[in-house]
Short mmCIF file of all heavy atoms in Angstrom, two decimals:
data_model
loop_
_atom_site.label_atom_id
_atom_site.label_comp_id
_atom_site.label_asym_id
_atom_site.label_seq_id
_atom_site.Cartn_x
_atom_site.Cartn_y
_atom_site.Cartn_z
N VAL A 18 27.09 -113.69 118.07
CA VAL A 18 27.81 -112.97 117.06
C VAL A 18 27.28 -111.56 117.01
O VAL A 18 26.11 -111.35 116.80
CB VAL A 18 27.60 -113.66 115.67
CG1 VAL A 18 28.37 -112.88 114.62
CG2 VAL A 18 28.11 -115.10 115.72
N LEU A 19 28.15 -110.57 117.27
CA LEU A 19 27.76 -109.19 117.36
C LEU A 19 28.50 -108.39 116.28
O LEU A 19 29.64 -107.91 116.52
CB LEU A 19 28.02 -108.59 118.75
CG LEU A 19 27.36 -109.35 119.89
CD1 LEU A 19 27.89 -108.86 121.22
CD2 LEU A 19 25.87 -109.21 119.82
N THR A 20 27.95 -108.31 115.09
CA THR A 20 28.55 -107.56 113.98
C THR A 20 27.49 -106.57 113.42
O THR A 20 26.32 -106.64 113.82
CB THR A 20 28.97 -108.53 112.84
OG1 THR A 20 27.82 -109.22 112.35
CG2 THR A 20 30.00 -109.52 113.34
N GLU A 21 27.93 -105.71 112.54
CA GLU A 21 26.98 -104.78 111.93
C GLU A 21 25.93 -105.47 111.08
O GLU A 21 24.76 -105.06 111.10
CB GLU A 21 27.78 -103.80 111.05
CG GLU A 21 28.65 -102.81 111.86
CD GLU A 21 29.30 -101.82 110.95
OE1 GLU A 21 28.79 -101.47 109.88
OE2 GLU A 21 30.41 -101.33 111.32
N LYS A 22 26.34 -106.49 110.40
CA LYS A 22 25.39 -107.26 109.58
C LYS A 22 24.31 -107.88 110.44
O LYS A 22 23.11 -107.89 110.11
CB LYS A 22 26.12 -108.31 108.78
CG LYS A 22 25.28 -109.01 107.76
CD LYS A 22 26.11 -109.91 106.87
CE LYS A 22 25.26 -110.47 105.76
NZ LYS A 22 26.07 -111.29 104.84
N VAL A 23 24.69 -108.47 111.59
CA VAL A 23 23.76 -109.08 112.50
C VAL A 23 22.86 -108.04 113.13
O VAL A 23 21.69 -108.29 113.33
CB VAL A 23 24.48 -109.91 113.57
CG1 VAL A 23 23.57 -110.40 114.63
CG2 VAL A 23 25.21 -111.10 112.92
N ALA A 24 23.41 -106.86 113.44
CA ALA A 24 22.60 -105.77 114.01
C ALA A 24 21.47 -105.39 113.03
O ALA A 24 20.35 -105.11 113.44
CB ALA A 24 23.50 -104.58 114.36
N GLY A 25 21.79 -105.37 111.75
CA GLY A 25 20.76 -105.06 110.75
C GLY A 25 19.68 -106.14 110.71
O GLY A 25 18.51 -105.83 110.59
N LEU A 26 20.11 -107.42 110.81
CA LEU A 26 19.13 -108.54 110.86
C LEU A 26 18.22 -108.40 112.04
O LEU A 26 17.01 -108.67 112.00
CB LEU A 26 19.85 -109.86 110.90
CG LEU A 26 20.25 -110.52 109.64
CD1 LEU A 26 21.05 -111.79 109.93
CD2 LEU A 26 19.11 -110.86 108.77
N THR A 27 18.82 -108.00 113.19
CA THR A 27 18.09 -107.93 114.41
C THR A 27 17.03 -106.81 114.32
O THR A 27 15.87 -106.98 114.71
CB THR A 27 19.00 -107.64 115.60
OG1 THR A 27 19.93 -108.71 115.67
CG2 THR A 27 18.27 -107.51 116.92
N GLU A 28 17.42 -105.68 113.78
CA GLU A 28 16.49 -104.54 113.67
C GLU A 28 15.36 -104.81 112.69
O GLU A 28 14.18 -104.54 112.97
CB GLU A 28 17.25 -103.30 113.23
CG GLU A 28 18.14 -102.72 114.30
CD GLU A 28 18.99 -101.60 113.79
OE1 GLU A 28 18.70 -101.03 112.68
OE2 GLU A 28 19.92 -101.19 114.48
N LYS A 29 15.65 -105.38 111.53
CA LYS A 29 14.64 -105.56 110.47
C LYS A 29 13.82 -106.84 110.63
O LYS A 29 12.62 -106.78 110.48
CB LYS A 29 15.38 -105.63 109.11
CG LYS A 29 15.94 -104.29 108.71
CD LYS A 29 16.64 -104.43 107.39
CE LYS A 29 17.33 -103.10 107.02
NZ LYS A 29 18.17 -103.23 105.83
N LEU A 30 14.48 -107.95 110.97
CA LEU A 30 13.76 -109.24 110.98
C LEU A 30 13.68 -109.93 112.30
O LEU A 30 13.20 -111.06 112.40
CB LEU A 30 14.45 -110.17 109.99
CG LEU A 30 14.54 -109.68 108.53
CD1 LEU A 30 15.44 -110.59 107.69
CD2 LEU A 30 13.18 -109.52 107.94
N ASN A 31 14.16 -109.28 113.40
CA ASN A 31 14.12 -109.85 114.74
C ASN A 31 14.85 -111.19 114.79
O ASN A 31 14.39 -112.16 115.39
CB ASN A 31 12.71 -109.97 115.23
CG ASN A 31 12.58 -109.76 116.72
OD1 ASN A 31 13.47 -109.16 117.31
ND2 ASN A 31 11.52 -110.28 117.29
N ARG A 32 16.08 -111.21 114.19
CA ARG A 32 16.91 -112.46 114.20
C ARG A 32 18.18 -112.23 114.95
O ARG A 32 18.78 -111.14 114.90
CB ARG A 32 17.24 -112.84 112.76
CG ARG A 32 16.04 -113.33 111.98
CD ARG A 32 16.41 -113.82 110.65
NE ARG A 32 15.19 -114.32 109.96
CZ ARG A 32 15.14 -114.60 108.71
NH1 ARG A 32 16.24 -114.45 107.96
NH2 ARG A 32 14.02 -115.03 108.16
N PHE A 33 18.66 -113.24 115.63
CA PHE A 33 19.88 -113.17 116.40
C PHE A 33 20.77 -114.35 115.97
O PHE A 33 20.29 -115.37 115.59
CB PHE A 33 19.61 -113.29 117.89
CG PHE A 33 18.74 -112.15 118.40
CD1 PHE A 33 17.34 -112.23 118.37
CD2 PHE A 33 19.31 -111.00 118.88
CE1 PHE A 33 16.57 -111.21 118.82
CE2 PHE A 33 18.55 -109.96 119.33
CZ PHE A 33 17.17 -110.01 119.30
N VAL A 34 22.12 -114.13 116.02
CA VAL A 34 23.03 -115.13 115.55
C VAL A 34 23.94 -115.58 116.68
O VAL A 34 24.45 -114.77 117.44
CB VAL A 34 23.89 -114.60 114.37
CG1 VAL A 34 24.84 -115.59 113.85
CG2 VAL A 34 22.98 -114.07 113.26
N PHE A 35 24.19 -116.90 116.77
CA PHE A 35 25.00 -117.49 117.81
C PHE A 35 25.98 -118.47 117.19
O PHE A 35 25.65 -119.14 116.23
CB PHE A 35 24.15 -118.25 118.84
CG PHE A 35 23.19 -117.39 119.59
CD1 PHE A 35 21.96 -117.16 119.13
CD2 PHE A 35 23.59 -116.85 120.81
CE1 PHE A 35 21.06 -116.35 119.84
CE2 PHE A 35 22.71 -116.09 121.52
CZ PHE A 35 21.43 -115.82 121.05
N VAL A 36 27.20 -118.59 117.74
CA VAL A 36 28.06 -119.71 117.43
C VAL A 36 27.65 -120.84 118.42
O VAL A 36 27.56 -120.58 119.63
CB VAL A 36 29.56 -119.30 117.67
CG1 VAL A 36 30.47 -120.52 117.47
CG2 VAL A 36 29.92 -118.17 116.73
N VAL A 37 27.40 -121.97 117.90
CA VAL A 37 26.88 -123.09 118.71
C VAL A 37 27.82 -124.33 118.58
O VAL A 37 28.70 -124.35 117.72
CB VAL A 37 25.45 -123.46 118.28
CG1 VAL A 37 24.53 -122.33 118.53
CG2 VAL A 37 25.37 -123.88 116.82
N ASP A 38 27.57 -125.32 119.38
CA ASP A 38 28.32 -126.56 119.35
C ASP A 38 28.10 -127.26 118.02
O ASP A 38 26.99 -127.24 117.52
CB ASP A 38 27.84 -127.47 120.50
CG ASP A 38 28.66 -128.73 120.61
OD1 ASP A 38 29.83 -128.64 121.12
OD2 ASP A 38 28.21 -129.77 120.18
N LYS A 39 29.12 -127.85 117.46
CA LYS A 39 29.05 -128.47 116.14
C LYS A 39 28.06 -129.63 116.08
O LYS A 39 27.51 -129.92 115.07
CB LYS A 39 30.43 -128.96 115.70
CG LYS A 39 31.34 -127.89 115.24
CD LYS A 39 32.56 -128.42 114.63
CE LYS A 39 33.71 -128.24 115.59
NZ LYS A 39 35.00 -128.71 115.03
N ASN A 40 27.87 -130.31 117.20
CA ASN A 40 27.02 -131.49 117.25
C ASN A 40 25.58 -131.21 117.66
O ASN A 40 24.76 -132.10 117.72
CB ASN A 40 27.60 -132.55 118.20
CG ASN A 40 28.95 -133.00 117.75
OD1 ASN A 40 29.19 -133.17 116.51
ND2 ASN A 40 29.87 -133.15 118.66
N ALA A 41 25.24 -129.91 117.97
CA ALA A 41 23.89 -129.56 118.40
C ALA A 41 22.95 -129.50 117.22
O ALA A 41 23.32 -129.05 116.13
CB ALA A 41 23.93 -128.19 119.10
N ASN A 42 21.70 -129.97 117.41
CA ASN A 42 20.70 -129.90 116.36
C ASN A 42 19.78 -128.74 116.66
O ASN A 42 19.88 -128.06 117.65
CB ASN A 42 19.94 -131.20 116.20
CG ASN A 42 19.18 -131.59 117.43
OD1 ASN A 42 18.74 -130.76 118.20
ND2 ASN A 42 19.04 -132.89 117.65
N LYS A 43 18.89 -128.48 115.71
CA LYS A 43 18.04 -127.26 115.78
C LYS A 43 17.12 -127.30 117.02
O LYS A 43 16.86 -126.30 117.63
CB LYS A 43 17.19 -127.12 114.52
CG LYS A 43 18.00 -126.79 113.32
CD LYS A 43 17.11 -126.67 112.07
CE LYS A 43 17.96 -126.33 110.87
NZ LYS A 43 17.14 -126.04 109.69
N ILE A 44 16.66 -128.45 117.40
CA ILE A 44 15.74 -128.58 118.55
C ILE A 44 16.49 -128.25 119.82
O ILE A 44 15.98 -127.51 120.67
CB ILE A 44 15.15 -130.01 118.60
CG1 ILE A 44 14.28 -130.26 117.37
CG2 ILE A 44 14.35 -130.19 119.87
CD1 ILE A 44 13.87 -131.68 117.18
N GLN A 45 17.69 -128.77 119.97
CA GLN A 45 18.53 -128.46 121.15
C GLN A 45 18.87 -126.97 121.24
O GLN A 45 18.84 -126.36 122.29
CB GLN A 45 19.81 -129.27 121.13
CG GLN A 45 19.63 -130.77 121.29
CD GLN A 45 20.86 -131.56 121.08
OE1 GLN A 45 21.74 -131.15 120.30
NE2 GLN A 45 20.97 -132.69 121.71
N ILE A 46 19.18 -126.38 120.09
CA ILE A 46 19.50 -124.94 120.04
C ILE A 46 18.26 -124.12 120.47
O ILE A 46 18.38 -123.18 121.29
CB ILE A 46 19.99 -124.53 118.67
CG1 ILE A 46 21.31 -125.25 118.30
CG2 ILE A 46 20.12 -123.04 118.52
CD1 ILE A 46 21.72 -125.13 116.88
N LYS A 47 17.13 -124.48 119.94
CA LYS A 47 15.84 -123.75 120.30
C LYS A 47 15.58 -123.84 121.80
O LYS A 47 15.28 -122.83 122.43
CB LYS A 47 14.69 -124.37 119.47
CG LYS A 47 13.37 -123.74 119.73
CD LYS A 47 12.29 -124.36 118.89
CE LYS A 47 10.94 -123.74 119.19
NZ LYS A 47 9.87 -124.31 118.30
N GLU A 48 15.71 -125.03 122.36
CA GLU A 48 15.44 -125.20 123.78
C GLU A 48 16.45 -124.43 124.68
O GLU A 48 16.06 -123.83 125.66
CB GLU A 48 15.47 -126.69 124.15
CG GLU A 48 14.30 -127.47 123.60
CD GLU A 48 14.45 -128.98 123.78
OE1 GLU A 48 15.50 -129.43 124.26
OE2 GLU A 48 13.50 -129.68 123.45
N ALA A 49 17.73 -124.42 124.24
CA ALA A 49 18.75 -123.71 125.00
C ALA A 49 18.52 -122.20 125.01
O ALA A 49 18.67 -121.55 126.01
CB ALA A 49 20.10 -124.02 124.42
N ILE A 50 18.10 -121.64 123.87
CA ILE A 50 17.85 -120.20 123.81
C ILE A 50 16.62 -119.84 124.59
O ILE A 50 16.58 -118.83 125.32
CB ILE A 50 17.79 -119.75 122.33
CG1 ILE A 50 19.16 -119.86 121.72
CG2 ILE A 50 17.23 -118.36 122.21
CD1 ILE A 50 19.25 -119.58 120.28
N GLN A 51 15.57 -120.63 124.48
CA GLN A 51 14.36 -120.33 125.25
C GLN A 51 14.59 -120.40 126.74
O GLN A 51 14.10 -119.57 127.50
CB GLN A 51 13.23 -121.33 124.86
CG GLN A 51 12.68 -121.00 123.51
CD GLN A 51 11.60 -121.98 123.07
OE1 GLN A 51 11.45 -123.10 123.64
NE2 GLN A 51 10.82 -121.62 122.07
N LYS A 52 15.42 -121.36 127.16
CA LYS A 52 15.77 -121.51 128.60
C LYS A 52 16.66 -120.37 129.10
O LYS A 52 16.41 -119.79 130.15
CB LYS A 52 16.43 -122.85 128.84
CG LYS A 52 16.77 -123.16 130.26
CD LYS A 52 17.39 -124.50 130.38
CE LYS A 52 17.83 -124.74 131.86
NZ LYS A 52 18.59 -125.97 131.96
N MET A 53 17.66 -120.02 128.28
CA MET A 53 18.64 -119.03 128.75
C MET A 53 18.11 -117.61 128.72
O MET A 53 18.35 -116.79 129.61
CB MET A 53 19.91 -119.12 127.92
CG MET A 53 21.02 -118.16 128.34
SD MET A 53 22.51 -118.50 127.42
CE MET A 53 23.62 -118.88 128.71
N TYR A 54 17.36 -117.24 127.65
CA TYR A 54 16.93 -115.86 127.48
C TYR A 54 15.45 -115.61 127.74
O TYR A 54 14.98 -114.48 127.76
CB TYR A 54 17.26 -115.36 126.08
CG TYR A 54 18.79 -115.31 125.82
CD1 TYR A 54 19.45 -116.26 125.02
CD2 TYR A 54 19.61 -114.34 126.41
CE1 TYR A 54 20.81 -116.21 124.83
CE2 TYR A 54 20.95 -114.28 126.25
CZ TYR A 54 21.53 -115.24 125.42
OH TYR A 54 22.91 -115.19 125.22
N GLY A 55 14.66 -116.69 127.93
CA GLY A 55 13.26 -116.54 128.19
C GLY A 55 12.44 -115.93 127.11
O GLY A 55 11.55 -115.09 127.34
N VAL A 56 12.74 -116.27 125.84
CA VAL A 56 12.00 -115.79 124.66
C VAL A 56 11.39 -116.94 123.95
O VAL A 56 11.75 -118.09 124.11
CB VAL A 56 12.91 -114.97 123.72
CG1 VAL A 56 13.45 -113.70 124.42
CG2 VAL A 56 14.12 -115.83 123.25
N THR A 57 10.44 -116.64 123.05
CA THR A 57 9.83 -117.65 122.18
C THR A 57 10.56 -117.68 120.85
O THR A 57 10.61 -116.64 120.13
CB THR A 57 8.32 -117.32 121.97
OG1 THR A 57 7.73 -117.16 123.21
CG2 THR A 57 7.66 -118.41 121.22
N VAL A 58 11.11 -118.80 120.51
CA VAL A 58 11.85 -118.99 119.26
C VAL A 58 10.92 -119.50 118.19
O VAL A 58 10.23 -120.53 118.41
CB VAL A 58 13.07 -119.93 119.47
CG1 VAL A 58 13.76 -120.18 118.15
CG2 VAL A 58 14.05 -119.37 120.47
N GLU A 59 10.85 -118.80 117.05
CA GLU A 59 9.98 -119.25 115.96
C GLU A 59 10.70 -120.21 115.04
O GLU A 59 10.10 -121.20 114.61
CB GLU A 59 9.48 -118.03 115.15
CG GLU A 59 8.46 -117.20 115.93
CD GLU A 59 7.91 -116.06 115.06
OE1 GLU A 59 8.46 -115.80 114.01
OE2 GLU A 59 6.94 -115.48 115.51
N SER A 60 11.97 -119.89 114.71
CA SER A 60 12.70 -120.79 113.77
C SER A 60 14.18 -120.73 114.06
O SER A 60 14.67 -119.74 114.60
CB SER A 60 12.41 -120.47 112.31
OG SER A 60 12.94 -119.24 111.98
N VAL A 61 14.92 -121.77 113.63
CA VAL A 61 16.34 -121.88 113.76
C VAL A 61 16.92 -122.32 112.42
O VAL A 61 16.47 -123.31 111.90
CB VAL A 61 16.74 -122.85 114.87
CG1 VAL A 61 18.27 -122.97 114.95
CG2 VAL A 61 16.21 -122.42 116.22
N ASN A 62 17.89 -121.59 111.90
CA ASN A 62 18.61 -121.96 110.72
C ASN A 62 20.06 -122.11 111.08
O ASN A 62 20.60 -121.30 111.82
CB ASN A 62 18.46 -120.89 109.60
CG ASN A 62 17.04 -120.73 109.22
OD1 ASN A 62 16.34 -119.96 109.82
ND2 ASN A 62 16.63 -121.39 108.19
N THR A 63 20.70 -123.19 110.59
CA THR A 63 22.10 -123.46 110.95
C THR A 63 23.00 -123.48 109.75
O THR A 63 22.56 -123.76 108.63
CB THR A 63 22.23 -124.78 111.72
OG1 THR A 63 21.74 -125.84 110.85
CG2 THR A 63 21.49 -124.78 113.01
N MET A 64 24.26 -123.12 109.97
CA MET A 64 25.30 -123.14 108.93
C MET A 64 26.58 -123.72 109.49
O MET A 64 26.92 -123.36 110.62
CB MET A 64 25.58 -121.73 108.43
CG MET A 64 24.43 -121.09 107.75
SD MET A 64 24.70 -119.31 107.55
CE MET A 64 23.83 -118.67 108.93
N ARG A 65 27.24 -124.58 108.73
CA ARG A 65 28.50 -125.13 109.18
C ARG A 65 29.64 -124.52 108.33
O ARG A 65 29.55 -124.45 107.09
CB ARG A 65 28.52 -126.66 108.98
CG ARG A 65 27.53 -127.34 109.97
CD ARG A 65 27.69 -128.78 109.90
NE ARG A 65 29.01 -129.05 110.45
CZ ARG A 65 29.34 -130.18 111.11
NH1 ARG A 65 28.45 -131.11 111.22
NH2 ARG A 65 30.51 -130.38 111.58
N TYR A 66 30.70 -124.08 108.99
CA TYR A 66 31.87 -123.52 108.37
C TYR A 66 33.05 -124.41 108.61
O TYR A 66 33.33 -124.79 109.77
CB TYR A 66 32.15 -122.12 108.93
CG TYR A 66 31.12 -121.09 108.57
CD1 TYR A 66 30.00 -120.88 109.36
CD2 TYR A 66 31.24 -120.34 107.40
CE1 TYR A 66 29.08 -119.95 109.03
CE2 TYR A 66 30.32 -119.41 107.07
CZ TYR A 66 29.22 -119.19 107.87
OH TYR A 66 28.28 -118.28 107.53
N SER A 67 33.75 -124.77 107.54
CA SER A 67 34.92 -125.63 107.72
C SER A 67 36.17 -124.73 107.89
O SER A 67 36.18 -123.63 107.36
CB SER A 67 35.13 -126.58 106.53
OG SER A 67 35.20 -125.83 105.36
N GLY A 68 37.16 -125.22 108.64
CA GLY A 68 38.37 -124.42 108.82
C GLY A 68 39.20 -124.37 107.58
O GLY A 68 39.13 -125.24 106.70
N LYS A 69 39.95 -123.29 107.45
CA LYS A 69 40.79 -123.09 106.30
C LYS A 69 42.26 -123.20 106.68
O LYS A 69 42.66 -122.88 107.81
CB LYS A 69 40.58 -121.67 105.73
CG LYS A 69 39.17 -121.39 105.25
CD LYS A 69 39.09 -119.97 104.80
CE LYS A 69 37.66 -119.61 104.48
NZ LYS A 69 37.52 -118.18 104.17
N VAL A 70 43.08 -123.65 105.77
CA VAL A 70 44.52 -123.67 105.98
C VAL A 70 45.08 -122.32 105.60
O VAL A 70 44.84 -121.81 104.52
CB VAL A 70 45.18 -124.77 105.11
CG1 VAL A 70 46.70 -124.73 105.27
CG2 VAL A 70 44.65 -126.12 105.49
N LYS A 71 45.79 -121.72 106.55
CA LYS A 71 46.43 -120.40 106.36
C LYS A 71 47.92 -120.56 106.49
O LYS A 71 48.42 -121.31 107.30
CB LYS A 71 45.92 -119.38 107.37
CG LYS A 71 44.41 -119.15 107.33
CD LYS A 71 44.16 -117.93 106.55
CE LYS A 71 42.68 -117.57 106.64
NZ LYS A 71 42.42 -116.20 106.28
N SER A 72 48.67 -119.76 105.73
CA SER A 72 50.12 -119.77 105.85
C SER A 72 50.71 -118.42 105.57
O SER A 72 50.06 -117.59 104.85
CB SER A 72 50.71 -120.82 104.86
OG SER A 72 50.33 -120.48 103.52
N ARG A 73 51.85 -118.17 106.11
CA ARG A 73 52.57 -116.90 105.87
C ARG A 73 54.03 -117.09 106.05
O ARG A 73 54.47 -117.93 106.77
CB ARG A 73 52.01 -115.81 106.79
CG ARG A 73 52.33 -116.04 108.26
CD ARG A 73 51.81 -114.89 109.12
NE ARG A 73 52.26 -115.01 110.47
CZ ARG A 73 51.58 -115.61 111.44
NH1 ARG A 73 50.41 -116.14 111.18
NH2 ARG A 73 52.05 -115.66 112.63
N GLY A 74 54.76 -116.22 105.34
CA GLY A 74 56.21 -116.23 105.48
C GLY A 74 56.64 -115.26 106.54
O GLY A 74 56.19 -114.15 106.58
N THR A 75 57.54 -115.63 107.46
CA THR A 75 58.07 -114.75 108.48
C THR A 75 59.57 -114.80 108.47
O THR A 75 60.18 -115.48 107.66
CB THR A 75 57.56 -115.21 109.90
OG1 THR A 75 58.08 -116.47 110.13
CG2 THR A 75 56.02 -115.26 109.95
N LYS A 76 60.19 -114.02 109.37
CA LYS A 76 61.64 -114.03 109.47
C LYS A 76 62.17 -115.39 109.83
O LYS A 76 63.25 -115.79 109.39
CB LYS A 76 62.07 -113.05 110.59
CG LYS A 76 61.91 -111.60 110.22
CD LYS A 76 62.41 -110.73 111.35
CE LYS A 76 62.25 -109.23 111.04
NZ LYS A 76 62.68 -108.39 112.12
N ARG A 77 61.42 -116.13 110.63
CA ARG A 77 61.85 -117.45 111.06
C ARG A 77 61.48 -118.56 110.05
O ARG A 77 61.77 -119.72 110.29
CB ARG A 77 61.20 -117.79 112.38
CG ARG A 77 61.46 -116.67 113.41
CD ARG A 77 61.04 -117.08 114.78
NE ARG A 77 62.26 -117.41 115.51
CZ ARG A 77 62.39 -118.41 116.37
NH1 ARG A 77 61.40 -119.20 116.55
NH2 ARG A 77 63.50 -118.60 116.98
N GLY A 78 60.89 -118.17 108.94
CA GLY A 78 60.57 -119.18 107.91
C GLY A 78 59.10 -119.24 107.63
O GLY A 78 58.30 -118.32 107.98
N PHE A 79 58.67 -120.30 107.02
CA PHE A 79 57.29 -120.50 106.59
C PHE A 79 56.48 -121.05 107.75
O PHE A 79 56.83 -122.03 108.35
CB PHE A 79 57.30 -121.50 105.43
CG PHE A 79 55.97 -121.66 104.75
CD1 PHE A 79 55.49 -120.67 103.92
CD2 PHE A 79 55.25 -122.82 104.94
CE1 PHE A 79 54.24 -120.86 103.31
CE2 PHE A 79 54.05 -122.97 104.31
CZ PHE A 79 53.53 -121.97 103.49
N VAL A 80 55.35 -120.37 108.09
CA VAL A 80 54.51 -120.79 109.19
C VAL A 80 53.12 -121.18 108.62
O VAL A 80 52.52 -120.38 107.91
CB VAL A 80 54.32 -119.65 110.21
CG1 VAL A 80 53.39 -120.06 111.36
CG2 VAL A 80 55.66 -119.26 110.79
#
Side-chain angles (χ1 to χ4, degrees):
V18 177
L19 303 171
T20 61
E21 289 183 29
K22 188 172 185 177
V23 172
L26 273 176
T27 301
E28 290 174 13
K29 293 178 183 172
L30 302 172
N31 212 22
R32 292 184 178 169
F33 298 89
V34 181
F35 296 89
V36 175
V37 297
D38 186 77
K39 284 188 252 183
N40 299 320
N42 61 32
K43 292 181 181 185
I44 297 167
Q45 292 171 331
I46 295 167
K47 179 178 179 177
E48 290 171 356
I50 290 174
Q51 287 179 342
K52 182 180 175 186
M53 184 173 238
Y54 295 106
V56 295
T57 305
V58 175
E59 289 184 347
S60 67
V61 177
N62 299 85
T63 59
M64 295 167 262
R65 292 189 66 151
Y66 291 89
S67 58
K69 299 177 188 174
V70 175
K71 298 263 186 162
S72 58
R73 66 179 188 266
T75 64
K76 288 181 182 179
R77 307 188 104 220
F79 189 74
V80 177

